[in-house]
Amino acid sequence: MNSEQSVKSVFPLFATLRKRFKKERTLHLFVWLGLALLLIFNYIPMFGILMAFKNYSIVTGVKGIFTSSWAGLSYFHEFVTDYRFAEIVRNTIILSLLKVVFTFPAPILFAILLNEARHLLFKRFVQTVSYLPHFISWVVVVGLSFSFLSTDIGVVNKLLVQWGLAERPLNFLTSANYFWGLAVGSAVWKEMGWWAIIFLAAISGINPSLYEAAQIDGAGRLARIWHITLPGMRGTIIVVMILTIGSILGGGLVGSNFEQAYLLGNTMNNSTSEIVQTYAFKVGLADGRYSYAAAIDLIQSVISVVLIFSSNAIAKKFSGSSLF
């Protein structure tokens, strides 16, 4: 009797689910298409990680990844003992840390400044202009950098010389001393306005009555920002911080270490522009050493995963908020 009742109770449930699915079939179509793309382009290619432990060669060998002979950890050992290992890792870490230090607080401060602007038309104009560079490719950004910073036709160098601030044009694009500053500065210019949208959305969710009550109590603008705006943004800041730390080796918020290092790097500034991503790209495609390049990228991916879980645990312990 109990089994018959349970069977009968299942049919109304299926009918309800079917009716709901039919009503929301368009939404389900978008969801399943997104999951299919995620599976095809993100999860299935992960089987290629096996290449890092194999003697795979697309040029000389006819065997596939799964049938190639095992190499064990030989490629990992080769990269760690490479004579440029310390320099490449140093460049990657320093460039990534500089981007976190400057690109993470920049959109927060910019969002607060925009929120404090009283002229609505001016506020919309500045916001629109600030996030437009996000849609410009890094190839175009590098082209603009050449136009402004070149020693021959660069506007910046011409102004520095004319105003007496420099005796001769500075080698912004070829000197190793300027690469990190150039990379960080262009990253802030390109992505600050785009990420400020997220923090502006967090600010818009704060109850306006809190500002009114604080103003009645005599709190100034800076006091309202410190005690109301920033605490109201705390959840969003923590989530973005975790994502930033997790992708720190790729460039953090801007995620452009490879593009900048590859496009702005040259033989003159190679001592500071060569990073893990560009090194893996060069040895993987130029030299055809796909297993070696896969091993290098796998090391970086493992470090990124550890950073994500570590930053999430630290944020959860000290603030009570976390990503998962």
Side-chain angles (χ1 to χ4, degrees), residues 11-313:
F11 287 105
L13 178 62
F14 277 114
T16 304
L17 292 176
R18 182 181 178 183
K19 184 177 180 181
R20 183 177 179 181
F21 180 82
K22 187 176 180 180
K23 182 179 179 181
E24 301 174 351
R25 59 182 179 273
T26 305
L27 299 176
H28 281 279
L29 177 63
F30 281 106
V31 171
W32 286 107
L33 284 176
L35 291 176
L37 291 175
L38 191 66
L39 177 66
I40 295 172
F41 294 102
N42 291 85
Y43 285 94
I44 293 180
M46 290 179 67
F47 288 102
I49 293 175
L50 189 64
M51 188 189 303
F53 305 93
K54 293 273 193 170
N55 289 313
Y56 173 75
S57 174
I58 196 174
V59 179
T60 59
V62 295
K63 295 183 179 180
I65 298 175
F66 296 99
T67 56
S68 299
S69 60
W70 286 96
L73 301 176
S74 60
Y75 293 113
F76 297 91
H77 180 266
E78 181 180 353
F79 175 62
V80 174
T81 56
D82 190 278
Y83 76 98
R84 295 201 64 189
F85 173 77
E87 180 182 88
I88 293 171
V89 172
R90 181 207 65 185
N91 294 341
T92 306
I93 293 176
I94 292 178
L95 181 59
S96 301
L97 288 177
L98 286 174
K99 284 191 175 182
V100 171
V101 170
F102 290 99
T103 62
F104 180 71
I108 299 175
L109 296 176
F110 185 63
I112 293 175
L113 291 175
L114 279 179
N115 182 65
E116 293 297 319
R118 295 290 178 255
H119 198 288
L120 185 59
L121 184 61
F122 172 78
K123 179 178 178 180
R124 290 179 177 177
F125 174 77
V126 173
Q127 185 177 356
T128 302
V129 172
S130 65
Y131 73 70
L132 283 179
H134 170 78
F135 300 98
I136 302 176
S137 69
W138 277 109
V139 177
V140 177
V141 173
V142 172
L144 293 174
S145 300
F146 274 92
S147 300
F148 281 93
L149 302 175
S150 173
T151 56
D152 298 326
I153 61 173
V155 178
V156 174
N157 271 316
K158 288 183 177 180
L159 292 176
L160 289 176
V161 174
Q162 289 178 3
W163 293 345
L165 298 177
E167 296 181 359
R168 58 181 180 274
L170 301 177
N171 298 319
F172 290 109
L173 302 173
T174 56
S175 176
N177 297 326
Y178 294 115
F179 175 77
W180 290 336
L182 177 60
V184 174
S186 58
V188 172
W189 172 80
K190 187 176 185 297
E191 300 293 342
M192 179 181 66
W194 176 258
W195 282 97
I197 297 175
I198 296 178
F199 297 110
L200 282 172
I203 294 175
S204 65
I206 301 175
N207 192 345
S209 61
L210 296 176
Y211 292 100
E212 297 173 359
Q215 192 171 5
I216 293 174
D217 291 338
R221 179 171 292 187
L222 291 178
R224 294 197 297 270
I225 293 174
W226 182 258
H227 294 287
I228 299 176
T229 305
L230 287 175
M233 299 169 61
R234 184 179 63 177
T236 303
I237 291 175
I238 290 175
V239 171
V240 174
M241 181 191 69
I242 294 173
L243 296 175
T244 301
I245 295 176
S247 60
I248 185 175
L249 298 182
L253 290 179
V254 293
S256 60
N257 277 1
F258 172 78
E259 289 88 344
Q260 288 181 299
Y262 187 75
L263 295 172
L264 292 172
N266 50 64
T267 56
M268 303 295 292
N269 61 16
N270 188 262
S271 60
T272 55
S273 64
E274 189 75 280
I275 59 176
V276 172
Q277 295 94 321
T278 56
Y279 181 72
F281 179 78
K282 292 175 182 177
V283 299
L285 291 184
D287 301 337
R289 304 190 61 193
Y290 299 100
S291 296
Y292 184 45
I296 297 173
D297 285 332
L298 182 57
I299 292 175
Q300 178 179 303
S301 299
V302 171
I303 295 174
S304 298
V305 171
V306 173
L307 289 174
I308 289 177
F309 283 96
S310 301
S311 58
N312 184 77

